[in-house]
Amino acid sequence: MQDLNELKVSINAIKDEIVNGVKELTNSKALYEFKKTFLDSKAGKINALMKEMKNIPNEMKAEFGKNVNELKTWAGEKFDELDVQMKEAESKQRYENEKIDITMPAVKCKCGKLHPVTQVRNQLIDVFGSMGFEVYDNFEIENEYYNLTALNIPQDHPARDMQDTFYLSPDYLLISQTSAAQIHVMENKKPPLKILSPGKVFRSDDDATHSPMFTQMEGLVVDKGITLCDLKGMLDLLVKKIFGEGTTTRLRPSYFPFTEPSVEVDVSCFECGGKGCRLCKGTGWIEVLGAGIVNKKVLENCGIDSEEYSGLAFGVGIERLAMLKYGINNIKLLYESDLRVLEQLDD
Ligand code: DAH
């Protein structure tokens, strides 16, 4: 470049280029890139003009510099002004896009909940926990001594047929009753004892109300002077918690090798209030669990003096309680994990 006229032509060309170029720009990012092609300190066209200064005669240098600086200021202001406008429009658009309609109904949140068997199990632990019972975890594989022999069911005793046990070997089996926990606890702790033992049990049994695997809860109290009255009082609390305040229990004579006397416990029908309905088969009572006073032989097997101490025990099928409570007639419904069923079963 040789003189100021030539410079003026270049300046006007750049101005035109800018004025026309910005018309094509649609967002601030493009504007930023466009601006760089003029004002970038290395590659910008306006800065390139300034570098021409060395070719200009000295007396024109001041004028030349002034003109280029004016262009620079003009362009800078133009770009800044456009940048503000574009950014404003963009954030307006963003707010528009992200607008929340607070009058819209909320999306229903699906909450998980505990399985009905776990709910009933926890309710039992609550009732007995409040009476000072401790929870003892069962083994699922046992030596047959704990599951049978020590519970006064010796080899060849007809009571072995009461439960169809799964044997893993001649000595080891899958526990068929949580009663096995009684022996472990009495062997390892000195009375007074109050334990609850929930766990899975296994029997070769399979129909609408029985499953090869189900859940039981064993209760055991050993102390001085324990009687059937204590048992009845505790079980009354249990049925009130599970089936409602208006329910009570009745004890009927029964037989279990590990209790003497043994009782079958019925709950007054929570469906008809005892008048008689289909659920209680017209009797007003529903059988819920087995219980009794711990057989002296069982206490002695565990080294507890049966003259000094007595005990009460009970064993309850948790699925049975859940089925009665929720009106389910097939135990398999509790294991199929069908949400359409499980979602209906809640307190
Ligand atoms: N173990 C028995 C069963 O599985 C239930 C039972 C009955 C447990 C009487 C007890 C009891 O502790 O005293 O059928």
Side-chain angles (χ1 to χ4, degrees), residues 86-100:
M86 280 181 167
K87 284 195 171 143
E88 231 169 58
E90 280 163 5
S91 66
K92 236 189 193 167
Q93 187 59 47
R94 209 173 55 237
Y95 285 132
E96 202 54 42
N97 295 345
E98 293 172 2
K99 206 158 143 185
I100 298 169

Side-chain angles (χ1 to χ4, degrees), residues 202-216:
F202 307 85
R203 292 182 196 176
S204 177
D205 213 352
D206 195 8
D207 60 31
T209 52
H210 297 91
S211 152
M213 185 285 295
F214 63 102
T215 325
Q216 277 192 337

Side-chain angles (χ1 to χ4, degrees), residues 246-248 267-277 279-280 283-286:
T247 52
T248 181
V267 58
S268 56
C269 183
F270 41 87
E271 194 76 14
C272 63
K275 286 192 214 85
C277 67
L279 182 65
C280 59
T283 63
W285 295 93
I286 301 166

Side-chain angles (χ1 to χ4, degrees), residues 145-146 148-154 182-184 186-188 257-258 294-306:
Y145 175 79
Y146 289 95
L148 299 163
T149 313
L151 286 161
N152 196 32
I153 318 175
Q182 292 189 22
I183 307 301
H184 284 292
M186 288 193 282
E187 277 183 353
N188 291 310
F258 32 88
V294 180
N295 194 316
K296 288 185 176 215
K297 285 189 198 155
V298 175
L299 293 178
E300 298 294 342
N301 284 344
C302 302
I304 293 177
D305 183 352
S306 62

Side-chain angles (χ1 to χ4, degrees), residues 163 176-177 179 182 203 216 218-219 256 258-259 290-292 313-315:
Q163 298 159 7
S176 61
Q177 48 185 355
S179 307
Q182 292 189 22
R203 292 182 196 176
Q216 277 192 337
E218 193 78 10
F256 297 103
F258 32 88
T259 42
F314 58 88

Side-chain angles (χ1 to χ4, degrees), residues 32-322:
Y32 174 75
E33 294 302 330
F34 186 64
K35 173 180 164 181
K36 271 206 318 198
T37 63
F38 297 94
L39 291 174
D40 185 79
S41 57
K42 281 193 190 130
K45 291 178 183 169
I46 297 179
N47 287 55
L49 270 188
M50 201 54 120
K51 286 177 195 147
E52 291 292 323
M53 181 82 92
K54 57 182 183 305
N55 304 323
I56 300 291
N58 277 348
E59 65 278 11
M60 286 183 223
K61 276 194 191 325
E63 185 66 14
F64 184 94
K66 190 170 159 254
N67 285 329
V68 176
N69 274 333
E70 272 170 12
L71 172 66
K72 206 172 180 176
T73 311
W74 174 87
E77 280 171 0
K78 183 138 192 90
F79 287 132
D80 285 351
E81 194 183 310
L82 262 171
D83 188 56
V84 170
Q85 280 171 15
M86 280 181 167
K87 284 195 171 143
E88 231 169 58
E90 280 163 5
S91 66
K92 236 189 193 167
Q93 187 59 47
R94 209 173 55 237
Y95 285 132
E96 202 54 42
N97 295 345
E98 293 172 2
K99 206 158 143 185
I100 298 169
D101 179 358
I102 56 165
T103 63
M104 262 186 34
V107 179
K108 265 209 167 170
C109 125
K110 275 208 164 190
C111 288
K113 59 188 172 198
L114 295 176
H115 189 279
V117 170
T118 310
Q119 288 185 34
V120 171
R121 172 187 179 277
N122 289 354
Q123 286 166 0
L124 293 176
I125 292 176
D126 268 6
V127 187
F128 290 100
S130 70
M131 290 187 252
F133 279 67
E134 279 175 55
V135 174
Y136 172 89
D137 276 334
N138 252 301
F139 296 111
E140 289 177 6
I141 294 175
E142 273 289 7
N143 184 318
E144 62 106 51
Y145 175 79
Y146 289 95
N147 191 71
L148 299 163
T149 313
L151 286 161
N152 196 32
I153 318 175
Q155 212 93 47
D156 303 325
H157 191 287
R160 288 214 172 198
D161 296 339
M162 284 170 83
Q163 298 159 7
D164 276 325
T165 310
F166 288 116
Y167 279 86
L168 301 173
S169 72
D171 293 334
Y172 284 91
L173 42 76
L174 293 174
I175 60 163
S176 61
Q177 48 185 355
T178 45
S179 307
Q182 292 189 22
I183 307 301
H184 284 292
V185 172
M186 288 193 282
E187 277 183 353
N188 291 310
K189 289 188 169 189
K190 290 205 168 356
L193 294 173
K194 265 186 187 177
I195 65 117
L196 267 190
S197 187
K200 292 190 182 108
V201 297
F202 307 85
R203 292 182 196 176
S204 177
D205 213 352
D206 195 8
D207 60 31
T209 52
H210 297 91
S211 152
M213 185 285 295
F214 63 102
T215 325
Q216 277 192 337
M217 174 95 70
E218 193 78 10
L220 173 72
V221 177
V222 181
D223 205 344
K224 291 179 181 161
I226 294 293
T227 69
L228 275 182
C229 292
D230 299 302
L231 177 69
K232 167 106 170 94
M234 288 176 181
L235 296 178
D236 275 345
L237 283 180
L238 178 159
V239 296
K240 283 183 179 25
K241 173 84 177 180
I242 305 290
F243 299 112
E245 273 306 310
T247 52
T248 181
T249 58
R250 133 182 126 167
L251 309 184
R252 278 182 294 111
S254 184
Y255 171 75
F256 297 103
F258 32 88
T259 42
E260 180 58 38
S262 301
V263 290
E264 209 69 64
V265 182
D266 296 339
V267 58
S268 56
C269 183
F270 41 87
E271 194 76 14
C272 63
K275 286 192 214 85
C277 67
R278 263 180 56 190
L279 182 65
C280 59
K281 302 193 182 82
T283 63
W285 295 93
I286 301 166
E287 187 182 314
V288 281
L289 60 101
I293 291 298
V294 180
N295 194 316
K296 288 185 176 215
K297 285 189 198 155
V298 175
L299 293 178
E300 298 294 342
N301 284 344
C302 302
I304 293 177
D305 183 352
S306 62
E307 293 304 315
E308 193 180 358
Y309 290 103
S310 57
L312 64 83
F314 58 88
V316 54
I318 298 184
E319 282 82 352
R320 174 154 173 76
L321 291 186

